[in-house]
Amino acid sequence: TSSRRVTAISHPSRWRYFFVRPGARFGSLSSYRKRKAHGSLSPRHLRELANWRESTTGNGMSVDESESWYQKALRYVPILLPLEPTETDRELLRCIGLDSYVMIRFLRFGFETQFWSFVAACIVLIPTYYTNDYDGEFYKDETGGFSTTTTTGYFRITINRLENDSPKIWVVWAFAIVYFLAILRRLWVEWVVFVDLREDFLANGDPDATKEDDPESVKQFRNSCVVEYVPRSHRRDKDLFLFYESLFPGQVKRAEMVVNSARLTTLIQERRRYIAEYERINAKQVHEMREYCRLTESLEGEEPGHSSGCIRRKPVEPVAIKIRVGGGKCCSGGSGKGELVEALPYYMSEIRRMNKLVDEEYKKIVRRKEDEERESVLGSLPEMSRPGSKRPQSYRKHGHMEKYLTKIFLPHDDSSSGFHADCGNGFVEFSTRAAKQAALQCNLTGQASYFSTEQAPDPRDLIWANLPSERRSIRRAYVLVQGLLFIGVLFWSALVGLIGNIETAVVNSGIDVSQNLLSFIAGYLPVLILVILMATIPSIFTVLAKRVIRFRSHSESDKFVLKWNVLYRIANFCVILISGTLYNAILSVRENPEEVVQSVANGVLVQSQFFLNVVLTAIGTGTSLQISQLWTVLYWLIVKNIITEEAMSERKLEQLKVPKEFIFGRFTAEFIYVFMIAVVYSPIVPLITGACAAYFFFASKIYTHQALFVFSQRYEGGGKLFYSVNRTVFVIIYVSIVLFGTILILKGQPYASGSFLVLMLSVTYIVDREIHEKFSSTSQKLPLTTSRIMDEEYAGLLANEETASDVRSRRTEVSQLSDTDSVVGVDRRKLFSTTRSKTLRNLSTSVGMGVGLPNLIRSKGKRALSERDLDFYLYRQPDLHKETWETEPRPYRLDE
């Protein structure tokens, strides 16, 4: 017994010995420190860790104690040496999730790079600019007149203070090199930390899900894949299962195709609108009746002759609210004069009608699904090819398996069977993470659009209404929308250029006000208009992503919104620099590219004060509005004092209590915009660097607070947006290097410009390539070696936890519910105190992934529930689960 026990304990260690490179057997102890932070470090891990430390140091001394003095010193300079997240950061990560944590780290990244750069600029650059004896020179401007370079006031501490061909330009040259190298190094540090966290997410999932969900649900998430481009001949659950079972014998647990339930979803949404409207009018009538009763009681309680000189009218008893139906709407060409009917009976009749239509459509879907799964042209898996079966020596000589696999793997005509499935997406769950990662990382078919297998997102991340959409149609819509948005950039630039000229218009208007007030209006009015304008476009991008392109996950939609929000902000930046439209700039590039480059470089110097105002406005307005939640407070004041809560339905009150989300496409674009301003202006206008450092400082504190106490993410994308942020940061660095090199040429330093461009572009490209090869490309998916190790390690842990059969038996109560039962209704108050209600509420909770949904095709009759009936799966469409439907309006208040 003891020998078997020793073998079981050391088995994962042997896998680590073969798979993990020497010198990094334990990932620099990062995985064990994470386990210790989560309180999941087992005695076996502790013993292995102690043995490894003794074998590494040779004297039993810990690894930290064996560090040299300079390694310990570098730990206090995180911009140079990557440090693992502290215990506080681990707790922050657990509370807010990896997506929000990555954005918080980006704010810290911006603060650390800009703050220390501003400190260095105060020591080196600002004294260099301020003490230089240069008052500007005359030059001929575009109008033919003569102007002088501004070197006084604000511009006294900018590069304008240095004359052309000044030897002090080399001080700025050296500062810029150190500045960009520090940013590249700090970005490298971020990747070192992110890759570790990303691998932990791919291995274990969201900490909330691990904490809130049962082991079976977590295992389903870890082992599931989404399949696209399934050919029509394989669009059955059975056929999809046979395809993957033939590739991975004995490693496939289930395979299910997505059901195209677009019409059912539309009917359910229409019924939900009727129910919400019924509850709204019912709440309004209850409020009117109670208000009438209160007024009547107050009149009855007054003594005669004690009124204050005015005659109070007797309140009018409220009548039933009526609406007009039929006759069409005025805006759609109808007369708008329909029949006047009572609202509540009408909406209740419509709800009953929609219940009937929904039930009929549901039965059609179930019947069609049963017919599709009854027969398969692929047949069944040969007995001798199944795992564990004995194969005779003559088996391969007959070639039976080869012919069958050819039939399984190649598409064929399925028109004769009358099968017309119109959705080519599905989900496959494997038995182990190693099998799943093999399916994700292998070239399964050798074709680009044939059984494409990808990591299944968090179930809370899915937009279920868009799930049946084919990838081909999504790509066509994506290309079309991107083309329209690119054309919109050209027109957008004209609008932004008009806003940028407001300052000149205000100054030249001749308004009879003080000069200080006029300067204030001219400086901040265009900035305020631009901020308001930029706050509106993310909503438009979100509608395009979810309604037009129809992305199938919220993370894909966020990535699209972030991309175009950043591009439009970059367009703003370029338009302000060139003081014109992008369309005219593109035309000018063909005729005189040198003039365009010089115009942009001059614009960087001239418009620096405008961008300083942009950053100050973001500090004073953006972060202040975020921490105060002004609009939410104002809305609640209106609800409390004008609309009153009594006149609102229970559903509306619940919606008001739902916490906000961290909108990455909206907030992160502003972070990147400020970072772009900082990187472009750091060597030439160091004061802007200080303002950007202040913005990142306040933003990091405020958004950390908001992520902890205000925002609540409904899904977890695993830090996918960091890949887009990384690419954007490198684009900003490349452009900033070129702009600074151009400014050096304008300052009469071609040798400094050439050496700077060659050196920094080369170094940036090398770092960009190394990050892509070492971090970006390798962190997209969980390594097979790690998957194999974790399968072995978690096998013993799951044995001590709740087994799958225990989970199914616990879910039996939910599965035995009648199909006609509703989640809501007159007994809702009692329902929410039962085990059934707790399970049903867990299906739509924002904390954890839930328990999944039962099979669409259920066993018939009154016999005992089968294993299939109790089989809950996370990746099943919620609209196909009748027990989550709302078939009747909720009562006015649940506690009354």
Side-chain angles (χ1 to χ4, degrees):
T1 304
S2 59
S3 61
R4 288 197 299 268
R5 183 178 181 182
V6 170
T7 303
I9 291 177
S10 59
H11 188 65
S13 300
R14 295 203 301 271
W15 289 111
R16 291 188 182 276
Y17 180 82
F18 285 107
F19 287 152
V20 185
R21 68 182 186 275
R25 295 279 171 81
F26 294 89
S28 300
L29 306 182
S30 60
S31 61
Y32 281 88
R33 286 173 179 171
K34 283 186 290 186
R35 291 172 182 267
K36 185 176 181 181
H38 290 292
S40 60
L41 201 60
S42 65
R44 172 172 59 82
H45 293 142
L46 294 173
R47 287 194 297 270
E48 290 183 335
L49 182 58
N51 295 336
W52 181 80
R53 282 177 169 173
E54 292 178 1
S55 62
T56 304
T57 60
N59 54 4
M61 191 167 49
S62 65
V63 177
D64 294 335
E65 294 176 357
S66 63
E67 290 180 343
S68 59
W69 64 270
Y70 67 88
Q71 288 177 328
K72 294 180 180 179
L74 288 178
R75 285 188 172 275
Y76 295 96
V77 190
I79 196 172
L80 300 176
L81 184 69
L83 296 179
E84 295 180 3
T86 61
E87 295 293 331
T88 304
D89 284 343
R90 291 287 179 186
E91 182 63 17
L92 177 64
L93 172 62
R94 186 191 66 81
C95 293
I96 68 177
L98 184 57
D99 288 333
S100 301
Y101 181 72
V102 166
M103 294 303 101
I104 299 299
R105 286 196 65 93
F106 179 77
L107 290 173
R108 297 177 183 176
F109 163 77
F111 170 72
E112 291 181 8
T113 54
Q114 304 313 315
F115 174 75
W116 293 112
S117 300
F118 179 66
V119 172
C122 291
I123 299 174
V124 178
L125 279 188
I126 292 180
T128 301
Y129 293 149
Y130 190 83
T131 58
N132 192 58
D133 188 15
Y134 175 64
D135 296 328
E137 62 182 7
F138 287 97
Y139 65 91
K140 192 173 184 179
D141 57 20
E142 298 176 355
T143 62
F146 288 90
S147 302
T148 182
T149 304
T150 305
T151 59
T152 59
Y154 160 80
F155 292 96
R156 191 178 180 88
I157 54 175
T158 68
I159 201 172
N160 282 12
R161 188 68 177 174
L162 300 183
E163 67 273 15
N164 292 346
D165 216 8
S166 171
K168 293 183 178 180
I169 292 290
W170 289 96
V171 177
V172 186
W173 176 88
F175 178 88
I177 289 180
V178 175
Y179 173 76
F180 283 107
L181 289 177
I183 289 181
L184 293 175
R185 174 58 185 172
R186 188 63 179 81
L187 187 59
W188 184 282
V189 170
E190 285 299 313
W191 270 106
V192 172
V193 176
F194 172 75
V195 167
D196 196 16
L197 300 177
R198 171 71 177 171
E199 182 176 341
D200 184 65
F201 173 83
L202 293 175
N204 301 311
D206 183 23
D208 275 344
T210 307
K211 180 180 179 181
E212 299 290 337
D213 295 324
D214 55 74
E216 180 68 16
S217 298
V218 176
K219 185 178 180 181
Q220 289 176 1
F221 164 72
R222 292 170 175 170
N223 296 352
S224 293
C225 299
V226 59
V227 184
E228 299 174 338
Y229 298 111
V230 179
R232 290 189 175 273
S233 57
H234 291 69
R235 293 182 181 180
R236 302 178 181 85
D237 296 351
K238 184 188 301 183
D239 298 338
L240 184 64
F241 178 85
L242 289 176
F243 179 87
Y244 282 92
E245 177 67 19
S246 301
L247 289 173
F248 304 96
Q251 297 295 318
V252 182
K253 186 175 181 179
R254 65 161 58 84
E256 297 183 3
M257 293 296 300
V258 174
V259 178
N260 191 350
S261 58
R263 173 171 166 74
L264 178 65
T265 302
T266 302
L267 293 175
I268 291 176
Q269 290 176 351
E270 185 175 355
R271 178 176 62 183
R272 191 177 295 121
R273 287 193 295 269
Y274 281 126
I275 293 176
E277 194 66 17
Y278 179 95
E279 294 172 358
R280 184 186 68 82
I281 294 179
N282 182 43
K284 186 176 180 181
Q285 289 193 172
V286 170
H287 167 66
E288 292 178 352
M289 180 58 68
R290 292 184 177 182
E291 185 68 19
Y292 168 76
C293 295
R294 285 192 292 266
L295 292 175
T296 304
E297 292 176 359
S298 64
L299 286 177
E300 293 176 353
E302 287 185 358
E303 297 182 6
H306 284 77
S307 59
S308 57
C310 60
I311 301 176
R312 298 183 59 181
R313 295 181 179 179
K314 184 177 180 180
V316 179
E317 183 177 358
V319 297
I321 298 177
K322 295 184 178 182
I323 59 174
R324 293 188 179 274
V325 297
K329 297 181 180 179
C330 297
C331 59
S332 59
S335 62
K337 298 180 180 180
E339 181 183 0
L340 195 63
V341 299
E342 292 187 8
L344 293 183
Y346 169 76
Y347 284 124
M348 184 58 70
S349 63
E350 289 298 308
I351 293 171
R352 297 283 185 262
R353 182 178 64 87
M354 295 307 302
N355 286 342
K356 184 178 180 181
L357 292 177
V358 169
D359 289 338
E360 291 176 354
E361 182 64 23
Y362 178 79
K363 291 178 181 178
K364 290 180 182 179
I365 292 177
V366 175
R367 192 180 306 113
R368 185 172 67 247
K369 184 72 173 178
E370 290 176 344
D371 294 340
E372 292 171 358
E373 296 298 331
R374 186 172 294 114
E375 294 183 1
S376 172
V377 295
L378 299 181
S380 58
L381 197 64
E383 185 68 27
M384 288 180 294
S385 66
R386 295 175 182 172
S389 61
K390 296 182 179 180
R391 302 183 180 183
Q393 294 292 335
S394 60
Y395 175 70
R396 291 215 173 260
K397 295 181 180 180
H398 297 303
H400 177 69
M401 189 59 184
E402 287 78 0
K403 293 180 180 179
Y404 179 77
L405 291 179
T406 302
K407 184 179 180 180
I408 288 287
F409 294 152
L410 298 180
H412 52 274
D413 185 16
D414 197 19
S415 58
S416 59
S417 63
F419 175 63
H420 300 289
D422 52 355
C423 181
N425 307 322
F427 292 96
V428 177
E429 181 187 358
F430 293 89
S431 301
T432 62
R433 267 171 286 197
K436 168 191 170 180
Q437 293 302 322
L440 291 177
Q441 302 179 35
C442 293
N443 185 1
L444 298 182
T445 62
Q447 302 181 39
S449 301
Y450 187 71
F451 282 102
S452 174
T453 308
E454 299 293 338
Q455 167 76 36
D458 189 321
R460 300 163 295 179
D461 187 17
L462 290 172
I463 305 175
W464 293 100
N466 297 344
L467 199 60
S469 302
E470 295 280 355
R471 178 61 64 179
R472 294 185 182 90
S473 63
I474 293 177
R475 286 183 175 177
R476 287 194 294 266
Y478 180 68
V479 172
L480 177 62
V481 170
Q482 289 212 117
L484 295 176
L485 290 177
F486 179 77
I487 296 174
V489 170
L490 303 180
F491 294 97
W492 178 266
S493 61
L495 180 60
V496 175
L498 179 63
I499 296 174
N501 293 327
I502 291 179
E503 179 178 0
T504 304
V506 172
V507 172
N508 299 330
S509 62
I511 302 176
D512 189 14
V513 294
S514 64
Q515 187 64 31
N516 293 334
L517 179 60
L518 188 65
S519 301
F520 178 82
I521 296 175
Y524 285 97
L525 182 60
V527 173
L528 183 61
I529 295 176
L530 187 61
V531 168
I532 296 174
L533 198 60
M534 292 305 303
T536 59
I537 59 174
S539 301
I540 300 175
F541 295 152
T542 302
V543 172
L544 291 175
K546 295 183 178 180
R547 301 293 180 85
V548 180
I549 303 177
R550 299 183 66 83
F551 285 119
R552 291 178 295 200
S553 65
H554 296 284
S555 56
E556 285 182 304
S557 175
D558 281 340
K559 182 179 178 181
F560 175 83
V561 175
L562 173 62
K563 172 184 175 181
W564 281 102
N565 198 358
V566 170
L567 287 177
Y568 268 67
R569 288 178 179 271
I570 293 176
N572 294 345
F573 188 82
C574 297
V575 169
I576 294 171
L577 292 184
I578 63 179
S579 299
T581 64
L582 291 179
Y583 179 75
N584 294 333
I586 294 174
L587 295 180
S588 301
V589 169
R590 300 176 56 183
E591 301 175 358
N592 193 350
E594 182 180 354
E595 181 180 351
V596 174
V597 174
Q598 185 174 355
S599 175
V600 172
N602 288 329
V604 171
L605 300 175
V606 174
Q607 299 293 344
S608 62
Q609 197 167 5
F610 176 86
F611 289 110
L612 177 62
N613 293 336
V614 169
V615 177
L616 295 177
T617 303
I619 297 174
T621 305
T623 56
S624 300
L625 287 176
Q626 182 58 239
I627 191 64
S628 65
Q629 292 293 299
L630 178 61
W631 306 120
T632 303
V633 172
L634 291 177
Y635 183 78
W636 271 104
L637 288 176
I638 295 174
V639 170
K640 291 283 188 180
N641 300 298
I642 300 178
I643 302 177
T644 73
E645 292 184 55
E646 190 180 60
M648 304 180 72
S649 64
E650 182 76 12
R651 182 188 304 274
K652 185 63 177 179
L653 291 177
E654 288 181 1
Q655 292 175 356
L656 293 177
K657 296 176 182 178
V658 174
K660 293 184 177 181
E661 294 184 59
F662 195 110
I663 308 175
F664 299 102
R666 181 188 298 271
F667 300 142
T668 310
E670 181 179 306
F671 305 158
I672 295 175
Y673 188 54
V674 175
F675 180 78
M676 176 177 64
I677 294 174
V679 174
V680 169
Y681 281 102
S682 182
I684 57 180
V685 187
L687 186 62
I688 293 182
T689 306
C692 293
Y695 169 83
F696 284 118
F697 175 79
F698 288 112
S700 63
K701 304 301 180 183
I702 289 173
Y703 281 97
T704 300
H705 174 274
Q706 302 299 86
L708 285 170
F709 302 108
V710 177
F711 299 134
S712 177
Q713 291 304 109
R714 292 185 302 175
Y715 65 91
E716 183 59 54
K720 291 180 182 179
L721 288 178
F722 186 69
Y723 298 96
S724 301
V725 171
N726 170 75
R727 178 48 42 204
T728 306
V729 168
F730 269 107
V731 171
I732 291 173
I733 293 175
Y734 283 123
V735 174
S736 301
I737 290 173
V738 173
L739 284 176
F740 182 72
T742 306
I743 291 174
L744 291 180
I745 293 178
L746 296 179
K747 285 293 183 180
Q749 293 287 354
Y751 295 107
S753 174
S755 59
F756 176 80
L757 290 174
V758 172
L759 175 63
M760 291 314 305
L761 288 177
S762 301
V763 172
T764 304
Y765 173 75
I766 293 173
V767 174
D768 189 4
R769 185 188 61 185
E770 290 296 314
I771 285 179
H772 176 73
E773 293 179 355
K774 292 186 177 181
F775 301 127
S776 180
S777 60
T778 59
S779 62
Q780 299 278 353
K781 299 173 183 177
L782 190 66
L784 276 173
T785 54
T786 305
S787 302
R788 186 68 182 90
I789 293 170
M790 297 193 71
D791 284 336
E792 292 293 332
E793 290 183 344
Y794 280 91
L797 296 177
L798 290 177
N800 299 325
E801 299 288 344
E802 189 177 18
T803 62
S805 59
D806 296 332
V807 175
R808 294 192 185 98
S809 61
R810 181 169 52 82
R811 297 169 177 168
T812 304
E813 183 179 359
V814 179
S815 299
Q816 291 175 337
L817 292 174
S818 172
D819 289 340
T820 59
D821 289 340
S822 172
V823 181
V824 297
V826 293
D827 295 332
R828 184 179 177 85
R829 295 186 296 274
K830 298 180 180 179
L831 182 63
F832 270 82
S833 62
T834 62
T835 305
R836 165 196 176 189
S837 65
K838 293 178 181 178
T839 308
L840 291 175
R841 290 170 64 189
N842 195 25
L843 294 172
S844 58
T845 181
S846 61
V847 179
M849 297 178 295
V851 296
L853 299 175
N855 204 307
L856 174 63
I857 304 176
R858 310 290 294 276
S859 301
K860 300 179 180 180
K862 296 184 178 180
R863 61 181 178 81
L865 292 172
S866 65
E867 189 77 6
R868 182 179 185 179
D869 293 330
L870 302 181
D871 181 25
F872 282 59
Y873 186 43
L874 286 175
Y875 296 97
R876 288 183 180 138
Q877 295 151 276
D879 287 344
L880 298 179
H881 187 30
K882 298 185 66 175
E883 293 166 2
T884 62
W885 291 355
E886 289 188 281
T887 59
E888 292 185 5
R890 302 181 186 182
Y892 171 68
R893 290 292 184 265
L894 297 178
D895 55 352
E896 294 183 2

